[in-house]
Amino acid sequence: MNGVTQHKLSCENLLRIDDLSDDDLAAILARARWFAECLTAKKPVPPSLAGRTQINLFFEDSTRTNLSFDLAGKKLGADVINVPVAASSVNKDEDILDTVQTLDAMGADVMILRTRDPRAHERLSQRTRCPVINAGNGTIEHPTQALLDAATLTRTFGTLNGLTIAICGDVRHSRVAGSGVQLFQRLGATVRFVAPDDLLPDRELFADTERFSTLETGLDGADVVMALRLQRERMENPPPIEAYISEFRLDHDRLDLAKDGAKVMHPGPMNRGIEITASLADDKARSLVLDQVFMGVATRMAVLDQLIV
Ligand code: CP
């Protein structure tokens, strides 16, 4: 697939990585790359969502996901509505189901939904006419983040096949890791988790993923190191910050434990100085953080364009 032609995704909703076939994955990555070239060259793209209404409904804070879906929809010609949840009738104890069905009845053609509740998307998508895209559900999945990370790696390395990707830090509470590990393994990468024991997922989850409890062991031979924020808002007992920094903060010296020229990623939001040093995050030769943000727009364009055909 060259990305110039539009493919129709096989799923009705995009709630999880497993909703996508191998052909869907190839088509999204190819189309994202093509959209990225168009965006870089400031070339117009086909307005495939003209006349369509996209509703962004975020029950949890967001900068990257909300605004890149907003921009992606607008680039494709959609009418985009960002629901101001804090000023909506949710504050009058309206059930989320009624909010979603109300927006659906207004003529939404696609709804981008972020919730704290990991089960909400499944339930709500069964009650809407329009497709639903999961923009993050609790600690479980964030499929478009995994897709944009894969698109960033494909652009940087040509392929994920054969790469070793070390996902470091608070894996346990990370929906980015949840979707990422599934997608990266499907695309041929080896994925490792590197974290203190209490920040690793339960043993029965991702049972075929190697686990390391120190950066010294876990980064050896890695092509890519992904840092994750401590998601303290999802923890009952957050770890002492100084001990975490001393053992797990990524810096240039620690990245040198990985392969020569290894790249560092971070899905954001970053807590500078805690899971990653500012100088490493800002080092354009080593850090893909802003490439991820850029590919987030192109990848979300590719998803919208091929889901709403
Ligand atoms: N990576 C990510 O989901 O960031 P936001 O929470 O800012 O959307």
Side-chain angles (χ1 to χ4, degrees):
M1 295 188 195
N2 62 13
V4 179
T5 45
Q6 191 188 28
H7 159 96
K8 164 98 178 92
L9 297 185
S10 60
C11 49
E12 265 177 52
N13 303 293
L14 175 51
L15 305 187
R16 57 184 80 76
I17 287 298
D18 261 356
D19 288 334
L20 297 166
S21 68
D22 290 345
D23 280 351
D24 293 336
L25 293 180
I28 290 170
L29 294 178
R31 193 94 168 140
R33 188 169 184 133
W34 181 69
F35 279 136
E37 285 165 15
C38 296
L39 293 175
T40 303
K42 307 276 182 206
K43 279 196 331 207
V45 299
S48 58
L49 266 62
R52 307 295 187 98
T53 300
Q54 171 187 327
I55 297 190
N56 299 337
L57 181 57
F58 281 62
F59 288 95
E60 219 189 65
D61 294 344
S62 169
T63 299
R64 279 145 286 272
T65 312
N66 195 347
L67 296 181
S68 62
F69 264 117
D70 185 3
L71 196 50
K74 286 172 177 160
K75 297 256 178 215
L76 295 170
D79 299 316
V80 183
I81 295 174
N82 289 291
V83 179
V85 167
S88 75
S89 290
V90 168
N91 290 332
K92 299 174 191 165
D93 296 330
E94 181 171 74
D95 191 291
I96 183 172
L97 172 64
D98 290 313
T99 306
V100 163
Q101 290 194 139
T102 298
L103 298 170
D104 191 46
M106 285 180 186
D109 292 293
V110 62
M111 203 173 300
I112 319 298
L113 181 63
R114 172 173 285 191
T115 64
R116 285 198 170 78
D117 177 356
R119 297 168 307 279
H121 288 71
E122 195 70 55
R123 179 171 68 93
L124 297 170
S125 65
Q126 289 165 3
R127 303 287 288 271
T128 60
R129 288 172 310 100
C130 73
V132 174
I133 298 177
N134 178 0
N137 58 343
T139 59
I140 308 298
E141 286 238 25
H142 192 353
T144 61
Q145 178 71 44
L147 289 165
L148 78 86
D149 288 340
T152 305
L153 290 172
T154 305
R155 199 160 175 250
T156 306
F157 292 93
T159 179
L160 273 74
N161 195 21
L163 292 183
T164 297
I165 302 172
I167 303 181
C168 300
D170 184 9
V171 182
R172 184 176 183 84
H173 303 97
S174 174
R175 56 195 176 209
V176 173
S179 290
V181 65
Q182 298 175 60
L183 178 60
F184 303 157
Q185 288 174 344
R186 270 179 72 180
L187 295 173
T190 299
V191 182
R192 304 167 175 176
F193 296 144
V194 188
D197 285 347
D198 51 358
L199 295 182
L200 285 167
D202 290 340
R203 276 274 162 203
E204 64 273 18
L205 297 173
F206 314 112
D208 55 350
T209 304
E210 276 191 287
R211 293 160 181 246
F212 296 86
S213 55
T214 66
L215 291 176
E216 285 67 26
T217 51
L219 267 50
D220 185 28
D223 300 279
V224 178
V225 181
M226 180 184 287
L228 298 173
R229 177 176 67 89
L230 285 174
Q231 292 134 109
R232 302 171 79 83
E233 72 279 13
R234 299 183 191 141
M235 295 181 195
E236 281 172 23
N237 298 306
I241 205 79
E242 291 307 328
Y244 182 83
I245 289 173
S246 125
E247 289 181 35
F248 283 93
R249 181 173 64 189
L250 287 173
D251 58 20
H252 280 90
D253 287 342
R254 284 173 163 167
L255 189 61
D256 285 345
L257 296 164
K259 273 191 188 162
D260 282 351
K263 301 287 189 186
V264 68
M265 302 178 83
H266 194 307
M270 282 189 290
N271 290 150
R272 287 168 176 257
I274 297 181
E275 71 274 10
I276 188 167
T277 56
S279 65
L280 180 56
D282 294 337
D283 180 350
K284 289 191 168 39
R286 308 303 299 274
S287 167
L288 297 177
V289 171
L290 295 181
D291 303 68
Q292 291 170 264
V293 175
F294 171 69
M295 287 309 288
V297 178
T299 304
R300 288 173 174 131
M301 288 170 73
V303 168
L304 289 167
D305 174 72
Q306 300 187 108
L307 187 67
I308 324 301
V309 177

